[in-house]
Structures are given as C-alpha cells and as structure tokens.
Amino acid sequence: MTETMILDPADPNLVFGATGLLQTFNAAGVLGPADVHAATAIARLAGEADDRVRLALALTVRAVRAGSVCIDLAEVHTTSFDTSEVRIDLAGLPWPEPAAWLEAVRASPMVADGHDHEGGRPLRLAHGLLYLERYWLQEEEVRTEWLSREERNPPELDRDRLTGALDRLFTGEGLPAGEPDQQRRAAAVAALRWVSVIAGGPGTGKTTTVARVLALLLDQPGLDHRPGRGLRIALAAPTGKAAARLEEAVREAADQLPAADRDRLGELSASTLHRLLGWLPGSRGRFRYHRGNHLPYDVIVVDETSMVSLTLMARLLEAVRPDARLVFVGDPDQLSSVEAGAVLADIATAPGPDDTALDRGLAALGLDSEPAPPHGVVRLSHTWRYGGAIETLARAIRDSDADAAIDVLRSGAEDVIFVESDLDRADPAGLEPLRERVLTAGRTSHDAAAAGDVEGALRGLDQHRLLCAHRQGPYGVARWGAEAEHWLIEAYGSWAVPAAPGSPVSGRDRTAEWYPGRPLLITANDYELGLYNGDTGVVVATEHGPRAAFARGAEPTVVSPVRLDAVQTVHAMTVHRAQGSQFGCVSFIVPPPDSPLLTRELLYTAVTRATDRVQVFGTVDAIRRAVLHPANRASGLRPRLRPASSGS
C-alpha cells in the first residue's frame, strides 16, 4: 500500500483476525466486517485458498449491501466506493490483475460458470459479471419471466370498443397545442400487452392513467371467459404507506370518470406486495403464492415500482399467471429500493427488439406517430402538478446538467430558493427562509388542531416538510428536527414542548406530550389501525381529549394516542421516508460533497416532493456532485433484457 494508515485498535470496522488481501482492503475501509467474515467462512467451507478469489467474494457481498446485484472484476478497481469508511485512495490498493483475477475466479470450486445449471455453489460468473448465486437466480427469473410475457401472443381485444373507450376517456384537454397525449398512449400499450410500464415524474398523471386503463379493460367484453365472473383486479405497492396512497389516488381519479366507467370500476382496495403474495412468517422470503400456486387476479397494478427490490420483483413475476396483465407504475429517476437492485430503472432504459405486434396494434388505434416503446415502457412527461422553476430544476437534475441546475437555483425564482451555506457550522447563515416556513406551518397546524379542525391541521402539516439525507450528524434529521423544535418553542412557547421520551405519563404530562399540533410519524405498520410506516399525522384537541389524526382518503383516520405503539415527533424526515409524498413547500438540507448518500436520485427525489416551492440549503459543490453522480447500481439485467434469439 502506498499510504500509511494509523488504525484504531478499538475500531469496530476492523477485523483483526483477517489476513492477506481481505485484511488490506478491510483496513482501507473498502470491506466491512460482514464482508470479510462472510468471505472467510464461505471460502473455508469450499476449500478455496486463493486470496484473489476470497477478495472477489468479499467485494460481491459488499456490492449487495450497497444495493448492487453483481460486480465486474475488470472494472471494480475503478468503482467509486461510496462510504465514509474508505481511508485511502483506491488506486493505492493492490488490486489483482483483471485477466488473471477473472481466470482464478472462473477456476474456483466456489463459482458456477455461465448458464451451468449445477446448483450448490455460492458464486456465479456470467457475462463477465460475478454474482452471489441467489441474486443471479433472481435476475434470471426476472429476465426470463419478463421476456416470456413479451413473447406471448397479444391479448385479444375488441379494437373498435377500445378505440371508443380511448376517445371517451382521453380527450387531451389541458395539453399544450401539438403535444401528444402520452397518457392515452400509455393506456393503449397497457391494454395491448401482458406487461407494461407507466413511467413519469410526480404530477404527470400516472395514477389518473391507471384508473383509465382499468376502465378500458372493464369496458371490454369477454376478457374473463368464466361465466358470471368479472375482471379481478389487484392494486399493490412495496410499502403500506404507498399502498394507501395508491388506493386513495385511484379512487380520486375514478371519481372523474364518466358515470358508467366509474360504476364498473367500483371500490378498489390496495395492499402491500408482501400481503398480496401472502407472506409466510419464518419462510425465509417465500410466499403463499408462487410458480406452483398463482395469484388469482387478471390485472395487477404495482405502484412505486422504483422501490421494488430484485428479490421481491422475482417473487412477484413467478406468482402472476402468464395470462394476467401486469402494469408497473413509477418514476425510474427516483431513489431505488433500500435492498439490492434497481429493476424499474433497468427495464426503463434497456434496449429492446422491435415489437411489430405492438406497432400494428398502436397503428390500428391511430397511435403510430412514433415507434412502439421498448418493453412497453411509456414515459409521461407533461407535469400537471407543478411548473415553473421547480419543473426546470427537476429536468436539469434528471438530465445530469449541473450547470443548468445551478443556474435555476441561482435564478431568483420565487418557487426555487437556494441558500449557499456551510451547514456544518454551529450557527449556519441564511436559515431565515427555513425558520419562516417551519414557524408558519407549525402555527397553522397548531391553531387548527387546538380548535378541533382535523382537516385544517392536516393541511397545515403538509404546508412544509424539512428533508435530510442523513439521520444523524450535522446534516441529519436528529440535528435539524431539534433545530425546528427549538424555533417553535422560542416563538410560541410551551405548546411546542414535548414530554421527555420514554418518561412515565401522568394525566398532566399526557397533555404536555400530546399537545395540539404535534407532528407525528408512524415508524411501524399497524394493520389494525390502517396506519403504515412513514405515515404522518398531527395531534388534534377534541371534546374527548387529544386525538391523533392521519389523512386517509375522503375521511381522516382519528385515533386515541394510547393506541399508537410506534410513533415519534417529526419536525424533519429523511428523503427516503418522504418518497411517494407531496408537500406545498420542501426544504432540503444538502449533505456535503463527500457524503455517500449524495446522488442524483436523492436530489431529484427531494426536489420533486414539492408542489409550490423548493428551498435548498447547501453548497454549489455538493449540488454539482449530486447532479453528476448517479447511484449506478451494478446489474446485468439491463443489457440482457432481450430475447434469446438476439443473443442474451
């Protein structure tokens, strides 16, 4: 190694029993204890003594922990290891020579090669990429299931009736002159294919399109050939919060449909993907529904697909009947699953073969102005929810145009505020816009809550949300939540003072803890109450005492605070928790340029949570680094998502 490192013997990230390359890369901060221990144990069981192969295994374990599915041994030495634990320049490490490394890995008894169906080996080397066997099998499952649905004969449809329904449901009203109706096109593709994707950013009408797709299908005669049975529809999302939002949004969109279509659609409910698949406790990731016991639905709509991991996507695809439609909905540019994989982004950007059947189908519907989209992915681009500088900023971030993004931030636009400030200081400058929004929203929510106005208190809660990338530290939720609470106490006094966490609660203390206007965050799913991890609410004064109110469809959910098991005060939250939500104004605390969490997807997700105003606090260097730094989760799905005949 070319640099001398002073290591702390008490450092919990160091494995002092490690040897060879594992020790070197662990000391450099590239490998964590879990990576070293896993590689050591597996190699010992397999009788693998080659230090280079052990290093490859450890790096593959580390990649999965970081969200990637595999590693490329020829490129891994140039990969940016986004972790604050890395202590030296990667170029100074003794990386094995790539060609010899690859041959050593290929010859290892731990590694299955290519499409060898022999099981029982922990690693798989395929297409130049090294996988843990489990993740290669899952990626192969997703690839083959997706392509098999694409290669099936298209669904049978009454084209005249479909044309009439498209004309009835998609009028193009509100679109700028000459702009194509991408919602209509997305709906047609969803009707003409067994599997499709409705992609787009917030406010582009994805859920509106979903409701109309379902209306199109329900309008078709004879889709379900079993007498007396209607089309069976399932709505699902990866989290309970996202499922609840999907259900509410589809109902709201259905209310705008013509009466006959609305009546056919009826009342639809949504569930988490785990509930849909029938999660079995103690089953190690298996479900009630699988390849041998298919889900009973004819149409399955999955929202917030960007948050669906590779593992969960594989389990879903194998559980869906081949003759059932799958409609995936989401924003490929948002943050991906916290687990390994970025399936939606892979599918949305994968090259695809010419789809002549879809081309003919779209032509028959008068939608042949552009070629059929690869893999049934239609991107909605017209934003109905916000515009102006917010939309321009979001587009610049999505397009990796750092100069354009910084120009928007510095433009002085009313709906985009940028405060260049060193937030690491004890008393950062320029925080008045943030303090003003915190106080205004807090006052509005408190006054409505104190008056017993549930809906007004919830509206006040969503006026503003303070978002952070980190949980702890100078840029984290803990610090900035405490800062917001301090401003509220300073301005408004005792009503903003919570009781000490975990303290015994007497009658008087309970009033202090459950003060009107206290913002709440649910931290675990509660199916009995219909509340989910990530839901936000507010304490409201009622004639029966304090109650916790949460927005839920037409009528808020109002419960006694004593029924809440997993809840905390939320003056700030992470961007990940905010995914799928919208707020009038968003204030984003940008982490420093060297933050391992600072990516283009993080910045884009934070900015697009706002409907009226975005306030960004940080440095230009951090903004530039984020815009130019995509998450880059390694995967083999994107280049391989093509028929076997074209060389998979």
Side-chain angles (χ1 to χ4, degrees):
M1 300 175 65
T2 59
E3 298 183 26
T4 300
M5 293 177 291
I6 300 175
L7 303 178
D8 179 0
D11 188 343
N13 293 307
L14 294 178
V15 180
F16 285 92
T19 60
L21 290 174
L22 293 183
Q23 180 188 50
T24 300
F25 280 72
N26 173 234
V30 172
L31 298 177
D35 313 323
V36 174
H37 289 309
T40 301
I42 295 171
R44 183 186 301 119
L45 290 172
E48 177 56 74
D50 192 319
D51 214 18
R52 297 168 298 174
V53 180
R54 291 185 175 216
L55 175 63
L57 171 54
L59 289 170
T60 308
V61 173
R62 183 206 179 280
V64 170
R65 288 197 301 110
S68 291
V69 176
C70 56
I71 64 170
D72 184 342
L73 294 177
E75 301 290 340
V76 69
H77 64 287
T78 64
T79 302
S80 173
F81 283 81
D82 292 329
T83 168
S84 59
E85 303 302 326
V86 173
R87 301 178 177 90
I88 68 168
D89 182 6
L90 293 175
L93 291 171
W95 295 95
E97 193 278 321
W101 196 10
L102 186 65
E103 288 307 311
V105 168
R106 181 175 284 116
S108 171
M110 294 195 300
V111 181
D113 191 26
H115 290 275
D116 182 0
H117 294 290
E118 179 184 350
R121 301 192 186 191
L123 292 171
R124 172 79 61 159
L125 184 63
H127 310 283
L129 303 174
L130 186 64
Y131 298 77
L132 294 179
E133 176 72 359
R134 170 188 173 188
Y135 290 95
W136 182 83
L137 290 172
Q138 291 172 358
E139 185 176 281
E140 187 68 3
E141 180 92 51
V142 171
R143 186 188 76 86
T144 56
E145 283 288 338
W146 192 281
L147 292 179
S148 70
R149 294 170 194 278
E150 290 191 335
E151 292 166 357
R152 292 190 72 233
N153 290 329
E156 295 183 6
L157 292 165
D158 183 326
R159 298 298 174 91
D160 291 338
R161 189 142 184 167
L162 180 60
T163 301
L166 286 168
D167 290 340
R168 181 175 70 252
L169 297 170
F170 296 92
T171 63
E173 183 179 351
L175 284 171
E179 183 172 323
D181 191 343
Q182 290 295 80
Q183 291 185 16
R184 180 185 182 113
R185 184 176 179 81
V189 170
L192 294 167
R193 284 175 54 96
W194 294 111
V195 58
S196 60
V197 177
I198 302 173
T204 53
K206 297 188 297 293
T207 311
T208 298
T209 306
V210 165
R212 294 174 182 176
V213 166
L214 298 178
L216 287 175
L217 298 179
L218 288 165
D219 185 61
Q220 284 287 309
L223 273 179
D224 187 335
H225 300 290
R226 290 152 291 188
R229 300 292 296 275
L231 201 66
R232 292 169 298 181
I233 298 170
L235 305 179
T239 67
K241 177 184 175 183
R245 298 289 184 268
L246 172 63
E247 183 177 320
E248 294 167 16
V250 169
R251 287 180 179 175
E252 290 174 2
D255 287 342
Q256 308 303 315
L257 296 175
D261 294 298
R262 185 171 62 246
D263 292 343
R264 278 193 292 267
L265 197 57
E267 290 292 324
L268 293 173
S269 61
S271 72
T272 64
L273 283 170
H274 284 80
R275 277 202 149 194
L276 177 74
L277 292 171
W279 178 68
L280 300 173
S283 65
R284 299 178 65 84
R286 304 304 300 184
F287 296 92
R288 175 187 173 193
Y289 291 102
H290 46 75
R291 186 178 304 282
N293 182 31
H294 285 138
L295 287 160
Y297 300 102
D298 303 300
V299 181
I300 298 175
V301 177
V302 180
D303 196 17
E304 296 292 351
T305 309
S306 65
M307 293 193 287
V308 178
S309 68
L310 176 67
T311 300
L312 193 53
M313 181 65 81
R315 298 289 77 82
L316 172 66
L317 288 175
E318 73 167 3
V320 177
R321 297 195 333 260
D323 61 343
R325 274 185 181 80
L326 268 167
V327 181
F328 292 102
V329 185
D331 187 347
D333 299 304
Q334 284 190 21
L335 289 166
S336 299
S337 165
V338 295
E339 300 177 45
V343 181
L344 180 63
D346 282 342
I347 292 170
T349 55
D354 294 337
D355 191 336
T356 55
L358 183 57
D359 271 324
R360 288 194 299 268
L362 292 173
L365 299 173
L367 295 169
D368 56 349
S369 57
E370 53 187 277
H375 305 298
V377 180
V378 178
R379 286 183 178 261
L380 309 182
S381 57
H382 182 80
T383 303
W384 302 86
R385 184 172 297 157
Y386 55 69
I390 297 178
E391 183 177 3
T392 305
L393 176 60
R395 186 182 302 112
I397 296 170
R398 188 178 62 236
D399 295 342
S400 294
D401 190 337
D403 290 336
I406 292 167
D407 286 346
V408 177
L409 288 169
R410 288 176 163 172
S411 67
E414 292 184 2
D415 53 344
V416 172
I417 306 299
F418 180 42
V419 176
E420 297 185 51
S421 181
D422 181 5
L423 301 176
D424 198 12
R425 295 173 50 192
D427 185 22
L431 296 184
E432 190 54 36
L434 175 57
R435 182 177 183 276
E436 177 186 345
R437 288 287 171 164
V438 167
L439 295 182
T440 301
R443 178 90 261 177
T444 300
S445 188
H446 169 266
D447 289 352
D453 180 359
V454 172
E455 293 185 355
L458 289 169
R459 284 196 300 271
L461 184 70
D462 285 344
Q463 280 185 0
H464 175 257
R465 186 56 46 87
L466 173 55
L467 301 181
C468 304
H470 296 205
R471 297 183 184 276
Q472 303 294 332
Y475 301 88
V477 168
R479 176 202 174 172
W480 290 96
E483 194 76 55
E485 189 170 85
H486 170 73
W487 290 334
L488 289 165
I489 294 170
E490 185 180 59
Y492 302 132
S494 61
W495 66 258
V497 184
S503 62
V505 181
S506 67
R508 189 176 69 177
D509 290 333
R510 182 172 298 284
T511 302
E513 181 182 11
W514 300 107
Y515 58 90
R518 177 189 171 189
L520 302 174
L521 174 70
I522 298 295
T523 57
N525 292 341
D526 188 329
Y527 292 106
E528 181 181 349
L529 296 179
L531 299 175
Y532 304 100
N533 186 6
D535 279 350
T536 54
V538 62
V539 176
V540 179
T542 74
E543 59 183 4
H544 305 293
R547 293 292 183 268
F550 300 85
R552 270 291 175 273
E555 294 293 332
T557 295
V558 181
V559 300
S560 172
V562 298
R563 300 185 65 190
L564 300 176
D565 290 330
V567 65
Q568 64 187 40
T569 302
V570 56
H571 291 298
M573 68 194 309
T574 63
V575 179
H576 276 85
R577 278 198 183 275
Q579 197 161 351
S581 301
Q582 295 290 316
F583 311 99
C585 174
V586 163
S587 295
F588 178 43
I589 303 297
V590 184
D594 61 353
S595 167
L597 300 180
L598 186 59
T599 63
R600 182 177 68 204
E601 291 82 359
L602 180 87
L603 181 60
Y604 172 83
T605 303
V607 165
T608 55
R609 297 313 90 203
T611 59
D612 303 316
R613 180 179 170 123
V614 172
Q615 300 187 149
V616 178
F617 299 82
T619 66
V620 169
D621 287 345
I623 296 295
R624 184 176 296 279
R625 202 261 185 182
V627 174
L628 298 177
H629 184 73
N632 279 339
R633 292 190 167 191
S635 162
L637 180 61
R638 185 180 310 175
R640 295 176 57 230
L641 199 60
R642 57 183 185 267
S645 59
S646 61
S648 68

